[in-house]
Amino acid sequence: YIKNKLGFSNNDFNWIMNDSANLSLQKINDDYLLRLSKVKLYEKYLDTNKIKKFKYYQNENTFLEYPIILKKNNNMLMHKILFNKGYDVRHTWYINNAKELSDYKSENFKNTEVLEEKILCLPLHKNISHNDIVNISSILNLYE
């Protein structure tokens, strides 16, 4: 039970959710290590002359996706190319909400423009294999 400021217990976690959370916490390190190994594969196969890669290996980063910065093309084009080759990747990592401002001028938001248009998120989920990572990297290296 969780007690509020007055000392009354008003919340009780459902035992099913509690058990589910415990199981998830037990496997979080294994999930992290698997995703980290996939990040390292992307880093091995992606051409740094064409693509800017991020290097971050802190345990608090669960690597849901691996963001890269495209140097030549925009993320929507690369998403389309990858999709046509059988890979559905998230094309927009950062949405530039500043565009909603009435006095928006892109020259005032150069960094947000880059974030919105040049970052592509590469998949790291359990169904992405070593061969998929090699193929995705080859496609990016070829078209970028």
Side-chain angles (χ1 to χ4, degrees):
Y1 288 102
I2 299 173
K3 293 185 178 186
N4 63 18
K5 291 180 182 179
L6 299 174
F8 297 108
S9 299
N10 59 357
N11 294 308
D12 186 13
F13 289 107
N14 178 302
W15 65 270
I16 294 172
M17 294 303 293
N18 187 50
D19 291 349
S20 175
N22 282 333
L23 287 172
S24 293
L25 287 173
Q26 289 172 12
K27 68 181 199 97
I28 197 166
N29 194 51
D30 291 339
D31 288 347
Y32 167 76
L33 293 174
L34 179 61
R35 290 173 187 267
L36 178 60
S37 69
K38 291 178 181 187
V39 166
K40 289 181 178 184
L41 285 174
Y42 278 120
E43 288 184 343
K44 177 179 177 182
Y45 293 110
L46 288 170
D47 184 349
T48 56
N49 293 318
K50 299 180 176 190
I51 295 163
K52 173 84 173 134
K53 299 179 282 188
F54 294 97
K55 288 196 179 231
Y56 52 105
Y57 300 125
Q58 296 82 16
N59 284 337
E60 68 270 10
N61 186 333
T62 57
F63 293 113
L64 298 177
E65 296 168 315
Y66 181 54
I68 59 169
I69 299 177
L70 303 170
K71 291 184 178 180
K72 183 172 96 176
N73 295 306
N74 69 38
N75 50 17
M76 296 302 279
L77 175 63
M78 292 310 301
H79 171 266
K80 184 177 179 180
I81 291 169
L82 285 166
F83 188 80
N84 288 336
K85 301 283 187 182
Y87 296 103
D88 189 9
V89 302
R90 184 162 67 108
H91 51 73
T92 305
W93 177 72
Y94 178 87
I95 297 172
N96 182 2
N97 291 326
K99 287 181 179 179
E100 300 302 317
L101 299 172
S102 60
D103 60 345
Y104 178 79
K105 294 178 186 162
S106 62
E107 62 269 11
N108 294 337
F109 297 94
K110 290 179 183 174
N111 290 338
T112 57
E113 294 284 332
V114 169
L115 289 174
E116 185 178 43
E117 296 175 7
K118 292 292 187 178
I119 293 183
L120 185 70
C121 299
L122 302 181
L124 298 172
H125 56 76
K126 65 181 179 177
N127 294 327
I128 292 296
S129 70
H130 181 276
N131 287 338
D132 291 325
I133 292 171
V134 171
N135 289 338
I136 290 169
S137 298
S138 296
I139 293 166
L140 289 169
N141 291 337
L142 178 64
Y143 289 95
E144 184 61 18

